[in-house]
Amino acid sequence: DRAGIGPAGRQPVTPNRLIGAVLTVLAVLLAVGDRLGDPQALALALLPLAAGVGIAWQQAVNGRVRAAAGSAMTATLVNFTVGTAALLVTFAVDLAVRGRPAGAFPDEPWLYLGGPLGIVFIALAAALVRFTGVLLLGLATIAGQIVGAVLLDLVLPTAASHPGLDTLLGAALTMVAVLVAAFGPSRRP
C-alpha cells in the first residue's frame, strides 16, 4: 500500500494500520505459540509466510488489472488463465519425471469446490482491493481464514482439531486487529 502498487494508490502508514498489522502478527503468535519450539513447525511456518507475500502481490496486481479492464471478472480470468498454464507446465514436468499418478480421482464431490471458491475469492478480492487497500484486505482475509478454521474445527471436529483457549483468543485478537486497522483515520493521503 505504501508503495502504491495496489489500485487504491499510495496509502500512508497510519498508526491504526500499523497497530492492526502488529496485532494480527501477535494474534497468530498467540494462536500457534505452543508449537514454535518445534524447529520443523517453525520451518513449515515460512511457507505460509512466503505464500502471504505472494497473495499480497497478487491482490495488488489483480486490483490493477481490474481497474484497467473495468471488470473483476477480467482480472479473475487473467489470474486463472496464467495459473492454469503454470499448473499444466508443472504437471507436464511431473509426468515426465515421475510418470502417471497411480491413484484415482476422489469420489467426494465437495472436494472439487476449491476451484469455484477460488474464482469467487479472486473476483471479490479484485473488486474490493481498490476500496480497502492491500493491507486491510489481507488482514480481513487472515481473520476470515482463522475464524473459518476455528468454525470447521468446532462444527466438523477431527482427531487433530481441538482449538484451545490460545487459538480462540488468537482468532478474537485477529478480529480486533482488523477493526483497529479499518476504523482508523482515513487511509487516503
Side-chain angles (χ1 to χ4, degrees), residues 95-174:
L95 278 176
V97 172
R98 297 186 330 174
R100 293 187 58 181
F105 287 111
D107 293 332
E108 298 88 357
W110 63 271
L111 292 175
Y112 297 95
L113 291 176
L117 288 173
I119 290 170
V120 171
F121 173 77
I122 296 298
L124 285 173
L128 292 174
V129 71
R130 71 183 174 139
F131 301 109
T132 63
V134 176
L135 176 69
L136 187 56
L137 180 61
L139 293 178
T141 300
I142 291 167
Q145 288 173 329
I146 291 173
V147 169
V150 168
L151 288 175
L152 282 174
D153 283 349
L154 295 174
V155 174
L156 301 169
T158 66
S161 64
H162 299 288
L165 181 60
D166 289 347
T167 302
L168 298 175
L169 288 173
L173 184 56
T174 304

Side-chain angles (χ1 to χ4, degrees), residues 35-46:
R35 289 168 279 203
L36 290 180
D38 180 8
Q40 279 186 321
L42 192 55
L44 285 176
L46 296 177

Side-chain angles (χ1 to χ4, degrees), residues 1-164:
D1 281 342
R2 178 71 182 102
I5 295 170
R10 288 185 180 270
Q11 295 188 32
V13 178
T14 64
N16 283 61
R17 289 166 55 86
L18 187 59
I19 291 168
V22 169
L23 284 176
T24 301
V25 171
L26 291 175
V28 171
L29 290 174
L30 174 64
V32 299
D34 60 332
R35 289 168 279 203
L36 290 180
D38 180 8
Q40 279 186 321
L42 192 55
L44 285 176
L46 296 177
L47 292 175
L49 179 67
V53 170
I55 289 169
W57 182 264
Q58 176 193 36
Q59 290 170 344
V61 171
N62 282 345
R64 287 280 185 172
V65 171
R66 185 245 159 255
S71 166
M73 292 314 294
T74 301
T76 304
L77 179 64
V78 168
N79 189 290
F80 276 87
T81 300
V82 172
T84 300
L87 284 172
L88 288 173
V89 168
T90 304
F91 183 61
V93 169
D94 188 57
L95 278 176
V97 172
R98 297 186 330 174
R100 293 187 58 181
F105 287 111
D107 293 332
E108 298 88 357
W110 63 271
L111 292 175
Y112 297 95
L113 291 176
L117 288 173
I119 290 170
V120 171
F121 173 77
I122 296 298
L124 285 173
L128 292 174
V129 71
R130 71 183 174 139
F131 301 109
T132 63
V134 176
L135 176 69
L136 187 56
L137 180 61
L139 293 178
T141 300
I142 291 167
Q145 288 173 329
I146 291 173
V147 169
V150 168
L151 288 175
L152 282 174
D153 283 349
L154 295 174
V155 174
L156 301 169
T158 66
S161 64
H162 299 288

